[in-house]
Amino acid sequence: MSSENLPQSPEQQLRKPRVAVVFGGRSSEHGISVVTAGAVLNAIDRTKYDVLPIGITTDGRWALTADEPERMAITDRTMPDVAQLAESTEGGVVLSVDPGSREVVYSEPGSVPKALGEVDVVFPVLHGPYGEDGTLQGLLELSGVPYVGAGVLASAVGQDKEYMKRVFTSFGLPVGPYVVVRPREWDTDRSAARKRIVDFAGEHGWPLFIKPARAGSSIGITKVDDLAGLDEAIEEARRHDPKFLVESLLRGREIECGVLEFEEGPRASVPAEIPPVTAHDFYDFEAKYIDSASGIVPAPLTDEQTAEVQRLAIDAFEAASCEGLVRADFFLTEDGSFVINEINTLPGFTPISMYPRMWQESGVSYQELVDRLIQAALRRPTGLR
């Protein structure tokens, strides 16, 4: 029997729903995940929900952390870390994989394990591999615990840029030119793989963008203006993922649009525009999070352009079988057409992040946004759906 069908005890019926905010993780986006968690913890209505913060260290240990969002901010251009927030250097949090129980247990070496109570919903704010890519979602499905955001398949598709583009193409969504280089290709015949990239540049022109296939927050991406910088850019991408993509430059405006699940279905926010960032080659990690480069919300588009990008954002949400939320990123090219670049199934939730800002301009405050996501997760059962 799955946990969503279990009868509730009188204690469960009386207490507030308990939300476990899970953050940090093993990916290169560990720090920004901690920042996101601080913002979410600040926003959760404590009159409606009990909160259990759980941090995952960079080596994968699930740690009990203090509920202190003020310690989860960027300080002097330095990202926070779960290890600095953990209540113990050795203790660990364990979530039962028995779908008949949602009990969370905390244990330390030499001590009797301590029950922390049941969790009603998980709010994962893990970015990148080992969290945003369907791995955590699979664990939660096994445990029978509802969670915010996309399921296993949509999370995996949203994390892997190659298969994301393949899904979009199959649904008729416009994508830009790209080449994929898999680990085996690079390891067995680099000269052939490099020739494919050079031929791609010959067809589509320089510059090229070299990207890790399964990373986010613009980490590991390099803009390459000529052949001289190619190998260094490939090695930088492969530091984060052995599979990488090569994309051509699409000349045009960068437009983003948020999608949020409401009771009657997904809705799109007003779109935003990311203007050219003069201090950076492109909208990279430092521009987004360290230097706080800001977008224009709402984007200065015609009514027809706004309606079109909102339609495409919802189409992308549906094509990848997403749930909860998505930020869809587009290029408005010089010929006036939209090309989808990617979706993000767990977009940044920091105070400066574009997704919350777009919904703020659409009439949904940050606090309401967080509440809607939790309520959508509580309504949705685990398992096949």
Side-chain angles (χ1 to χ4, degrees), residues 58-100:
T58 53
D59 61 1
R61 179 173 63 92
W62 287 46
L64 190 63
T65 67
D67 187 3
E68 298 176 355
E70 65 277 3
R71 295 174 56 199
M72 301 180 182
I74 301 171
T75 306
D76 297 327
R77 302 176 70 87
T78 301
M79 289 287 176
D81 191 284
V82 167
Q84 301 164 349
L85 302 165
E87 294 191 349
S88 165
T89 58
E90 295 183 309
V93 174
V94 177
L95 177 66
S96 171
V97 293
D98 176 2

Side-chain angles (χ1 to χ4, degrees), residues 18-25 33-46 49-56 62-67 69 72 82 85 93 104 119-126 136 140 145-148 349 366 370 374:
R18 180 172 289 118
V19 181
V21 178
V22 180
F23 62 95
S33 171
V34 179
V35 176
T36 298
V40 170
L41 287 168
N42 259 328
I44 293 178
D45 185 349
R46 305 308 175 95
Y49 307 104
D50 287 329
V51 177
L52 179 66
I54 299 174
I56 301 178
W62 287 46
L64 190 63
T65 67
D67 187 3
M72 301 180 182
V82 167
L85 302 165
V93 174
V104 175
V119 166
D120 297 290
V121 63
V122 169
F123 199 129
V125 290
L126 295 152
L136 176 66
L140 296 173
V145 179
Y147 53 93
V148 168
F349 254 80
Y366 192 98
V370 169
I374 293 171

